[in-house]
Amino acid sequence: MASPAERRPSMALTGLQIRAPQWRAGAVERWLEAERDALVLWLPVALGAGIAAWFVLPDRAAWIGWLLASGGVAAAGLVLAGGTRAGRVLLIGGLVAMLGCALVWWRAERVAAPVLARPAVAVVTGRVERIEPLPARQLTRLTIATDPGVGLPPRVRVNLADADRPAGLTRGARVSVRARLMPPAGAAVPGAHDFARVAWFAGIGATGRGFAPVTIVAPGEPAGSDLRQRLSAHIRNRLPESEGAVAASLATGDQGAIPESDAEAMRRSGLAHLLSVSGLHITAVVAATMAVVLRLLALSPWLALNVRLPLVAGAAGAVAAIGYTWLTGAEVPTLRSCIAALLVLAALALGREAITLRLVAVGAFVVLLLWPEALVGASFQLSFAAVTAIVALHEHDRVRGMFAPRDEGWARRLLRGFASLLLTGLAVELVLMPIALFHFHKAGLYGALANIVAIPLTTFVVMPLEAAALLLDSIGLGAPLWWLCGKSLAVLLWIARTTADAPGTVAALPMMPRGAFGLMIGGGLWMLLWRTRWRWAGIVPALLGAGWALTTPAPDLIVTGDGRHLAIRMDDGRLAVLRERAGDYVRDLLAEGGGADGELPVLDDMPSAWCNADLCLAKVEREGRPWRVLATRSSYHIDAGELAAICRSVDVVVSERRLPRTCRPRWLKLDGAVLRRSGGVAIGFARPWMRRVADDVGAHPWIRPVTVMPERDAGATVTHRPAQ
């Protein structure tokens, strides 16, 4: 039997083991106490996590599992941690994450509406809800609420050629137009934009092209009552084509007249955010309104002494923000910016610091409560990421001290202002690059430098000149200011075009894994929201996500969901497309999916491809192994015996038609029947892998919706319910 002295070490060790969890719990409590002011910033993150989980998880069982898991975290916080701060964090975080998933699920079910079953030519009769002129494409886009009982979805979107648009067509009119309609298209290839998801939440069940004649069954609002359209047309008439289109976009958010070449230059140069009405425009309008009102009221000594003029100016700024939001169409991005501006004005009225991370968090939380589906859109992510980065950077003690106002010469003040703009631009570009690469597969590398000039030019020169010119037009004296505004816009467009044409201006990346994107976003939020040195732990997941994204192999073969189009990476690294007549949209889609920038050649021009009118055979080599890909590109009959022999000699066969069973390639057959189930496909030949659109979309409501179809003769509704 061991003596007491021999037992003492083990008792001491046991005591350490018992006290160790308590010590760790105490360390967590001390850390959370030090970060207590930052804890509230994580409420929109928890809400967003629940919303993101619903979009990422595949089906109802997984969504219920998330709700139960979040509830379990909340219960653990309530039971295990008692009244500690860690317990409250777990309790509230779990409940908010649970709320996010339930909220977006409820919203998706609430907006449910029938979708067109398949392409059809039908007569669309209904009330025009919205008219969007697209002068750059010589089109007008109509959103029509269809009459019940005609066998069409409740809301459809139809494009009309400007030449087919009848005189007197206004919002609210009842029209009848024959159109070729299609169901909203999902992602054509993995990682592409999912319009079916966007259309589901917008209530749009079909899109298409209308044909003349368009009959106005009943008139709508009086001609000229749409202030937004009249203002856009007036601005375009006062300035040259490109400058006028950009000026109209700055004033009303109407981008339909911007030539595609200029729009692409703005995107490649990192200046596209200037074209959509957002926080920059709302801020400029509010600031200008407050400055003018404050100066005018201050001219009265009695008002200056007896009235809180900043409060009155803030109220005027709020009215201006709401009016500008209404004028520009009250789109969700503009509404988000308006909400943020109103919160800033409320903070000023209460005597609080105007712009803080708490204010940004409140704005994000409100937006997600109202429009939870906005979370997965690029607009929400880009705008809130940029604002969060800017505020977090300038809240940092060292940065604040570096750029705080001080008594110094104008040259040093100007130099520090330039350094502040450059640092802010670099921080914003760094934060936005993963988001741009995930959604658009491209990111501008010189955007920080371009924005240093473009943002001040737009905010302090272009927009004030444009506003003053519009005011002076009321008395016929706006021409000189329009001339100055046009010259400043010409400088802005020159910056965009020069930056876009610079060598290496765009970084292109193929489809980014969701996990890599999530790691980068999570690591970025960890660094931006916390205050203590533990914030730098976020570098680890951010770098892991970046490494994962950069090392993800680019696909060697990309096939669209209809099987008509494909791009294959040849031995020289270039992507070549199957059809010479593939449109710009298809070419851009395939280029983005493959991480390519520039024009895509046609397979016919490749030395290792052999093509005729019906078939195309391409040969590529990966890691010493040859791969042969066969694709059909016509609907003409091909002898079954010959096709079977060719199929046996190739590795992959791609076709938009259903191929006979005798066609058996060595590895993979992607014909019409297979692609209807899988959607678009991306394939890598080195260490073979495959990613399908169906793997990303799961069983969300827009995948198998209730569908309708007009009968050809009577026009009655045929309703199709999704198979269980």
Side-chain angles (χ1 to χ4, degrees), residues 67-143:
L67 294 175
L68 293 176
S70 302
V73 171
L78 181 65
V79 175
L80 300 180
T84 63
R85 193 178 295 275
R88 292 194 294 272
V89 168
L90 291 176
L91 173 63
I92 297 173
L95 291 177
V96 174
M98 194 175 176
L99 170 66
C101 184
L103 181 65
V104 69
W105 192 354
W106 169 80
R107 170 116 171 112
E109 297 295 339
R110 181 174 175 269
V111 300
V115 173
L116 192 69
R118 59 184 179 274
V121 176
V123 175
V124 179
T125 304
R127 182 175 60 87
V128 177
E129 291 186 335
R130 186 174 183 182
I131 301 177
E132 300 174 78
L134 305 174
R137 298 167 55 188
Q138 298 181 339
L139 294 174
T140 297
R141 177 172 292 164
L142 306 181
T143 302

Coordinates of all heavy atoms in Angstrom, one line a residue, residues 67-143:
L67 N -31.8 24.0 -37.5 CA -32.6 24.6 -36.4 C -32.4 23.9 -35.1 O -32.3 24.5 -34.0 CB -34.1 24.5 -36.8 CG -34.5 25.4 -38.1 CD1 -35.9 25.2 -38.4 CD2 -34.3 26.9 -37.8
L68 N -32.4 22.5 -35.1 CA -32.2 21.8 -33.9 C -30.8 22.0 -33.3 O -30.6 22.2 -32.1 CB -32.4 20.3 -34.2 CG -33.9 19.9 -34.6 CD1 -33.9 18.4 -34.9 CD2 -34.8 20.2 -33.4
A69 N -29.8 22.1 -34.2 CA -28.4 22.3 -33.7 C -28.3 23.7 -33.1 O -27.7 23.9 -32.0 CB -27.4 22.1 -34.9
S70 N -28.9 24.7 -33.7 CA -28.8 26.0 -33.2 C -29.6 26.1 -31.9 O -29.1 26.8 -30.9 CB -29.4 27.0 -34.2 OG -28.8 27.0 -35.4
G71 N -30.7 25.4 -31.8 CA -31.4 25.4 -30.5 C -30.6 24.7 -29.5 O -30.7 25.1 -28.3
G72 N -29.9 23.6 -29.9 CA -29.0 23.0 -28.9 C -27.9 23.8 -28.3 O -27.6 23.8 -27.2
V73 N -27.3 24.7 -29.2 CA -26.3 25.6 -28.8 C -26.9 26.6 -27.8 O -26.3 26.9 -26.7 CB -25.7 26.4 -30.0 CG1 -24.8 27.5 -29.5 CG2 -24.9 25.4 -30.8
A74 N -28.1 27.1 -28.1 CA -28.8 28.0 -27.2 C -29.1 27.4 -25.8 O -28.9 28.0 -24.8 CB -30.1 28.6 -27.8
A75 N -29.6 26.1 -25.9 CA -29.9 25.4 -24.6 C -28.6 25.2 -23.8 O -28.6 25.3 -22.6 CB -30.5 24.1 -25.0
A76 N -27.5 24.8 -24.5 CA -26.2 24.7 -23.8 C -25.8 25.9 -23.1 O -25.3 25.9 -22.0 CB -25.1 24.2 -24.8
G77 N -26.0 27.1 -23.8 CA -25.6 28.3 -23.2 C -26.5 28.6 -22.0 O -26.0 29.2 -21.0
L78 N -27.7 28.2 -22.0 CA -28.6 28.4 -20.9 C -28.3 27.5 -19.7 O -28.4 27.9 -18.6 CB -30.1 28.3 -21.4 CG -31.2 28.5 -20.3 CD1 -31.2 30.0 -19.9 CD2 -32.5 28.1 -20.9
V79 N -28.0 26.3 -20.0 CA -27.9 25.3 -19.0 C -26.4 25.2 -18.5 O -26.2 25.2 -17.3 CB -28.4 23.9 -19.5 CG1 -28.1 22.8 -18.4 CG2 -29.8 24.0 -19.8
L80 N -25.5 25.0 -19.4 CA -24.1 24.7 -19.0 C -23.4 25.9 -18.5 O -22.6 25.8 -17.5 CB -23.4 24.1 -20.2 CG -24.0 22.8 -20.8 CD1 -23.1 22.3 -21.9 CD2 -24.0 21.7 -19.7
A81 N -23.5 27.0 -19.1 CA -22.7 28.2 -18.7 C -23.4 29.1 -17.7 O -22.9 30.1 -17.3 CB -22.4 29.0 -19.9
G82 N -24.7 28.8 -17.3 CA -25.3 29.6 -16.3 C -25.5 31.0 -16.7 O -25.8 31.4 -17.8
G83 N -25.2 31.9 -15.8 CA -25.3 33.3 -16.0 C -24.0 34.0 -16.5 O -23.9 35.2 -16.3
T84 N -23.1 33.3 -17.0 CA -21.8 33.9 -17.4 C -22.0 34.5 -18.8 O -23.0 34.3 -19.5 CB -20.7 32.8 -17.6 OG1 -21.2 31.8 -18.6 CG2 -20.5 32.0 -16.2
R85 N -21.0 35.4 -19.1 CA -21.1 36.1 -20.4 C -21.0 35.1 -21.5 O -21.7 35.2 -22.6 CB -20.0 37.1 -20.5 CG -20.2 38.1 -21.7 CD -19.1 39.1 -21.7 NE -19.1 39.9 -20.5 CZ -19.8 41.0 -20.4 NH1 -20.6 41.4 -21.4 NH2 -19.8 41.8 -19.3
A86 N -20.2 34.0 -21.4 CA -20.1 33.0 -22.4 C -21.4 32.3 -22.6 O -21.8 32.0 -23.7 CB -19.0 32.0 -22.0
G87 N -22.1 32.0 -21.5 CA -23.4 31.4 -21.6 C -24.4 32.3 -22.4 O -25.2 31.8 -23.2
R88 N -24.4 33.6 -22.1 CA -25.3 34.5 -22.8 C -25.0 34.6 -24.3 O -25.8 34.7 -25.1 CB -25.3 35.9 -22.1 CG -25.8 35.9 -20.7 CD -26.1 37.4 -20.3 NE -24.8 38.1 -20.1 CZ -24.1 38.1 -19.0 NH1 -24.5 37.4 -18.0 NH2 -23.0 38.9 -19.0
V89 N -23.7 34.6 -24.6 CA -23.2 34.6 -26.0 C -23.8 33.3 -26.7 O -24.3 33.4 -27.8 CB -21.7 34.6 -26.1 CG1 -21.2 34.3 -27.5 CG2 -21.2 36.0 -25.7
L90 N -23.6 32.2 -26.1 CA -24.1 30.9 -26.7 C -25.7 31.0 -26.9 O -26.2 30.6 -27.9 CB -23.7 29.7 -25.9 CG -22.2 29.4 -25.9 CD1 -21.9 28.2 -25.0 CD2 -21.8 29.0 -27.3
L91 N -26.3 31.4 -25.8 CA -27.8 31.5 -25.8 C -28.3 32.4 -26.9 O -29.1 32.0 -27.8 CB -28.3 31.9 -24.5 CG -29.8 32.2 -24.4 CD1 -30.6 30.9 -24.6 CD2 -30.2 32.8 -23.0
I92 N -27.8 33.6 -27.0 CA -28.3 34.6 -27.9 C -27.9 34.2 -29.3 O -28.7 34.3 -30.3 CB -27.9 36.0 -27.5 CG1 -28.5 36.4 -26.2 CG2 -28.3 37.0 -28.6 CD1 -27.9 37.7 -25.6
G93 N -26.6 33.8 -29.5 CA -26.1 33.5 -30.8 C -26.9 32.3 -31.4 O -27.2 32.3 -32.6
G94 N -27.1 31.3 -30.6 CA -27.9 30.1 -31.1 C -29.3 30.5 -31.5 O -29.8 30.1 -32.5
L95 N -30.0 31.3 -30.7 CA -31.3 31.8 -31.0 C -31.4 32.6 -32.3 O -32.3 32.4 -33.1 CB -31.9 32.5 -29.8 CG -32.3 31.7 -28.6 CD1 -32.8 32.7 -27.5 CD2 -33.3 30.6 -28.9
V96 N -30.4 33.5 -32.5 CA -30.4 34.4 -33.6 C -30.0 33.5 -34.9 O -30.6 33.8 -36.0 CB -29.4 35.5 -33.4 CG1 -29.2 36.3 -34.7 CG2 -29.8 36.4 -32.3
A97 N -29.1 32.6 -34.8 CA -28.8 31.7 -35.9 C -30.0 30.9 -36.3 O -30.3 30.6 -37.5 CB -27.6 30.8 -35.6
M98 N -30.8 30.5 -35.3 CA -32.0 29.7 -35.5 C -33.0 30.6 -36.2 O -33.7 30.2 -37.2 CB -32.5 29.2 -34.2 CG -33.6 28.2 -34.2 SD -34.0 27.7 -32.5 CE -35.4 26.5 -32.9
L99 N -33.1 31.9 -35.8 CA -34.0 32.8 -36.4 C -33.7 33.1 -37.9 O -34.6 33.1 -38.7 CB -34.0 34.1 -35.6 CG -34.7 35.3 -36.3 CD1 -36.2 35.1 -36.3 CD2 -34.4 36.6 -35.5
G100 N -32.4 33.2 -38.2 CA -32.0 33.4 -39.6 C -32.5 32.4 -40.5 O -33.0 32.6 -41.6
C101 N -32.3 31.1 -40.1 CA -32.7 30.0 -41.0 C -34.2 29.9 -41.1 O -34.7 29.8 -42.2 CB -32.1 28.7 -40.4 SG -32.5 27.2 -41.4
A102 N -34.9 30.1 -40.0 CA -36.4 30.1 -40.1 C -36.9 31.2 -40.9 O -37.9 31.1 -41.6 CB -36.9 30.1 -38.6
L103 N -36.3 32.4 -40.7 CA -36.8 33.6 -41.4 C -36.7 33.5 -42.9 O -37.7 33.7 -43.7 CB -36.0 34.8 -40.9 CG -36.4 36.2 -41.5 CD1 -37.8 36.6 -41.1 CD2 -35.4 37.2 -41.1
V104 N -35.6 33.0 -43.5 CA -35.4 32.9 -44.9 C -36.3 31.8 -45.5 O -36.8 31.9 -46.6 CB -33.9 32.8 -45.3 CG1 -33.4 31.5 -44.9 CG2 -33.8 33.0 -46.8
W105 N -36.4 30.7 -44.7 CA -37.3 29.6 -45.1 C -38.7 30.1 -45.2 O -39.4 29.8 -46.2 CB -37.2 28.5 -44.1 CG -37.8 27.2 -44.5 CD1 -38.5 27.0 -45.6 CD2 -37.7 25.9 -43.8 NE1 -38.9 25.6 -45.7 CE2 -38.4 25.0 -44.6 CE3 -37.1 25.5 -42.6 CZ2 -38.5 23.7 -44.2 CZ3 -37.2 24.2 -42.2 CH2 -37.9 23.3 -43.0
W106 N -39.2 30.9 -44.2 CA -40.5 31.4 -44.2 C -40.7 32.3 -45.4 O -41.7 32.3 -46.1 CB -40.8 32.1 -42.9 CG -42.1 33.0 -43.0 CD1 -43.4 32.5 -42.8 CD2 -42.2 34.4 -43.2 NE1 -44.2 33.6 -43.0 CE2 -43.5 34.7 -43.2 CE3 -41.2 35.4 -43.4 CZ2 -44.0 36.0 -43.4 CZ3 -41.6 36.7 -43.6 CH2 -43.0 37.0 -43.6
R107 N -39.7 33.2 -45.7 CA -39.8 34.1 -46.8 C -39.9 33.4 -48.1 O -40.6 33.8 -49.0 CB -38.6 35.1 -46.7 CG -38.5 35.9 -48.0 CD -38.6 37.4 -47.7 NE -38.3 38.2 -48.8 CZ -39.1 38.9 -49.5 NH1 -40.4 39.0 -49.1 NH2 -38.8 39.6 -50.5
A108 N -39.1 32.4 -48.3 CA -39.1 31.6 -49.5 C -40.4 31.0 -49.8 O -40.9 30.9 -50.9 CB -38.0 30.5 -49.5
E109 N -41.1 30.5 -48.7 CA -42.4 29.9 -48.9 C -43.5 31.0 -49.1 O -44.4 30.8 -49.8 CB -42.8 29.1 -47.7 CG -41.8 27.9 -47.4 CD -42.0 26.8 -48.5 OE1 -43.0 26.8 -49.2 OE2 -41.0 26.0 -48.7
R110 N -43.3 32.1 -48.5 CA -44.3 33.2 -48.6 C -44.3 33.8 -50.0 O -45.4 34.2 -50.4 CB -43.9 34.3 -47.6 CG -44.9 35.5 -47.6 CD -44.5 36.4 -46.4 NE -45.4 37.6 -46.5 CZ -45.1 38.7 -47.1 NH1 -43.9 38.8 -47.8 NH2 -45.9 39.8 -47.1
V111 N -43.2 33.9 -50.7 CA -43.2 34.5 -52.0 C -43.5 33.4 -53.1 O -43.4 33.8 -54.3 CB -41.8 35.2 -52.3 CG1 -41.6 36.3 -51.3 CG2 -40.7 34.2 -52.3
A112 N -43.7 32.2 -52.7 CA -43.9 31.1 -53.7 C -45.0 31.5 -54.7 O -46.1 32.0 -54.3 CB -44.3 29.8 -53.0
A113 N -44.7 31.3 -56.0 CA -45.7 31.5 -57.1 C -45.4 30.6 -58.2 O -44.3 30.1 -58.4 CB -45.6 33.0 -57.6
P114 N -46.4 30.2 -59.0 CA -46.2 29.2 -60.1 C -45.2 29.8 -61.1 O -45.1 31.0 -61.3 CB -47.6 29.1 -60.7 CG -48.5 29.5 -59.6 CD -47.8 30.5 -58.8
V115 N -44.5 28.8 -61.7 CA -43.5 29.2 -62.7 C -43.9 28.5 -64.0 O -44.5 27.4 -64.0 CB -42.1 28.7 -62.2 CG1 -41.0 28.8 -63.3 CG2 -41.7 29.4 -61.0
L116 N -43.5 29.1 -65.1 CA -43.8 28.5 -66.4 C -43.1 27.1 -66.5 O -42.0 27.0 -66.2 CB -43.4 29.4 -67.5 CG -43.8 29.1 -69.0 CD1 -45.3 29.3 -69.1 CD2 -43.1 29.9 -70.0
A117 N -43.9 26.1 -67.0 CA -43.3 24.8 -67.0 C -42.2 24.6 -68.1 O -41.2 23.9 -67.8 CB -44.5 23.8 -67.3
R118 N -42.4 25.2 -69.2 CA -41.4 25.0 -70.3 C -41.6 26.2 -71.3 O -42.6 26.9 -71.3 CB -41.6 23.7 -71.0 CG -43.0 23.5 -71.6 CD -43.2 22.1 -72.2 NE -44.5 21.9 -72.8 CZ -45.5 21.5 -72.1 NH1 -45.4 21.2 -70.8 NH2 -46.7 21.3 -72.7
P119 N -40.7 26.3 -72.2 CA -40.8 27.4 -73.2 C -42.1 27.4 -74.0 O -42.6 26.3 -74.3 CB -39.6 27.2 -74.1 CG -38.6 26.5 -73.3 CD -39.4 25.6 -72.4
A120 N -42.7 28.5 -74.2 CA -43.9 28.6 -74.9 C -44.1 30.0 -75.6 O -43.5 31.0 -75.1 CB -45.1 28.3 -73.9
V121 N -44.9 30.0 -76.6 CA -45.3 31.3 -77.2 C -46.8 31.5 -76.8 O -47.6 30.6 -77.0 CB -45.2 31.2 -78.7 CG1 -45.8 32.5 -79.4 CG2 -43.8 31.0 -79.2
A122 N -47.0 32.6 -76.1 CA -48.3 32.9 -75.5 C -48.7 34.3 -75.6 O -47.8 35.2 -75.8 CB -48.4 32.4 -74.1
V123 N -49.9 34.6 -75.5 CA -50.4 36.0 -75.4 C -50.4 36.4 -74.0 O -51.1 35.8 -73.1 CB -51.8 36.2 -76.0 CG1 -52.3 37.6 -75.9 CG2 -51.8 35.8 -77.5
V124 N -49.7 37.4 -73.6 CA -49.6 37.9 -72.2 C -50.5 39.1 -72.1 O -50.3 40.1 -72.8 CB -48.1 38.3 -71.9 CG1 -48.0 38.9 -70.5 CG2 -47.2 37.1 -72.1
T125 N -51.5 39.0 -71.2 CA -52.4 40.1 -71.0 C -52.4 40.5 -69.5 O -52.5 39.6 -68.6 CB -53.8 39.7 -71.4 OG1 -53.8 39.3 -72.7 CG2 -54.8 40.9 -71.2
G126 N -52.2 41.7 -69.2 CA -52.1 42.1 -67.8 C -51.7 43.6 -67.6 O -51.7 44.3 -68.6
R127 N -51.5 43.9 -66.4 CA -51.2 45.3 -66.0 C -49.6 45.5 -65.9 O -48.9 44.7 -65.3 CB -51.8 45.7 -64.6 CG -51.6 47.1 -64.2 CD -52.3 47.4 -62.9 NE -51.9 46.5 -61.9 CZ -50.8 46.7 -61.1 NH1 -50.1 47.9 -61.2 NH2 -50.5 45.9 -60.1
V128 N -49.1 46.6 -66.5 CA -47.7 46.9 -66.5 C -47.3 47.4 -65.1 O -47.8 48.5 -64.7 CB -47.4 47.9 -67.6 CG1 -45.9 48.2 -67.5 CG2 -47.7 47.3 -69.0
E129 N -46.5 46.7 -64.4 CA -46.0 47.1 -63.1 C -44.8 48.0 -63.2 O -44.6 48.9 -62.3 CB -45.7 45.9 -62.2 CG -46.9 45.1 -61.8 CD -46.6 44.0 -60.8 OE1 -45.4 43.6 -60.8 OE2 -47.5 43.6 -60.0
R130 N -44.0 47.8 -64.2 CA -42.7 48.5 -64.2 C -42.3 48.6 -65.7 O -42.4 47.6 -66.4 CB -41.7 47.8 -63.4 CG -40.4 48.5 -63.3 CD -39.4 47.8 -62.3 NE -38.2 48.5 -62.1 CZ -37.2 48.1 -61.4 NH1 -37.3 47.0 -60.7 NH2 -36.1 48.9 -61.2
I131 N -41.7 49.7 -66.0 CA -41.1 49.9 -67.4 C -39.7 50.4 -67.2 O -39.4 51.3 -66.5 CB -41.9 51.0 -68.1 CG1 -43.4 50.6 -68.3 CG2 -41.2 51.3 -69.5 CD1 -44.2 51.7 -69.0
E132 N -38.7 49.6 -67.8 CA -37.3 49.9 -67.7 C -36.7 50.1 -69.1 O -36.5 49.1 -69.8 CB -36.6 48.7 -67.0 CG -37.0 48.4 -65.6 CD -36.4 47.2 -65.1 OE1 -35.2 47.3 -64.7 OE2 -37.0 46.1 -65.1
P133 N -36.5 51.3 -69.5 CA -35.9 51.6 -70.8 C -34.4 51.1 -70.8 O -33.7 51.3 -69.8 CB -36.0 53.1 -71.0 CG -37.0 53.5 -70.0 CD -36.9 52.6 -68.9
L134 N -34.0 50.4 -71.8 CA -32.6 49.9 -72.0 C -32.1 50.5 -73.3 O -31.9 49.7 -74.3 CB -32.6 48.4 -72.0 CG -33.2 47.7 -70.8 CD1 -33.2 46.2 -70.9 CD2 -32.4 48.1 -69.5
P135 N -31.8 51.8 -73.4 CA -31.4 52.4 -74.7 C -30.2 51.8 -75.3 O -30.1 51.7 -76.5 CB -31.2 53.9 -74.3 CG -32.0 54.1 -73.1 CD -31.9 52.8 -72.3
A136 N -29.2 51.3 -74.5 CA -28.0 50.8 -75.0 C -28.3 49.5 -75.8 O -27.5 49.2 -76.7 CB -27.0 50.5 -73.9
R137 N -29.3 48.8 -75.5 CA -29.7 47.6 -76.2 C -30.9 47.8 -77.1 O -31.4 46.8 -77.7 CB -30.0 46.5 -75.2 CG -28.8 46.1 -74.3 CD -29.2 45.3 -73.1 NE -29.9 44.0 -73.5 CZ -30.4 43.2 -72.6 NH1 -30.4 43.5 -71.3 NH2 -31.1 42.1 -73.1
Q138 N -31.4 49.0 -77.2 CA -32.6 49.3 -78.0 C -33.8 48.5 -77.6 O -34.5 48.0 -78.4 CB -32.3 49.2 -79.5 CG -31.2 50.1 -80.0 CD -30.9 50.0 -81.4 OE1 -31.2 49.0 -82.1 NE2 -30.3 51.1 -82.0
L139 N -33.9 48.3 -76.3 CA -35.0 47.5 -75.7 C -35.7 48.3 -74.6 O -35.2 49.2 -74.0 CB -34.5 46.2 -75.1 CG -33.9 45.2 -76.1 CD1 -33.3 44.0 -75.3 CD2 -34.9 44.6 -77.0
T140 N -36.9 47.8 -74.3 CA -37.7 48.3 -73.2 C -38.2 47.0 -72.4 O -38.7 46.1 -73.0 CB -38.9 49.1 -73.6 OG1 -38.5 50.3 -74.2 CG2 -39.7 49.5 -72.3
R141 N -37.9 47.0 -71.1 CA -38.2 45.8 -70.3 C -39.5 46.1 -69.5 O -39.6 47.1 -68.8 CB -37.1 45.5 -69.4 CG -37.4 44.3 -68.4 CD -36.1 43.9 -67.7 NE -35.1 43.3 -68.6 CZ -33.9 43.2 -68.3 NH1 -33.4 43.6 -67.1 NH2 -33.0 42.7 -69.2
L142 N -40.5 45.2 -69.7 CA -41.8 45.4 -69.0 C -41.9 44.3 -68.0 O -41.7 43.1 -68.3 CB -43.0 45.3 -70.0 CG -43.0 46.2 -71.2 CD1 -44.2 46.0 -72.0 CD2 -42.9 47.7 -70.8
T143 N -42.4 44.6 -66.8 CA -42.8 43.6 -65.8 C -44.3 43.7 -65.7 O -44.9 44.8 -65.4 CB -42.2 43.9 -64.4 OG1 -40.8 43.9 -64.5 CG2 -42.6 42.9 -63.4

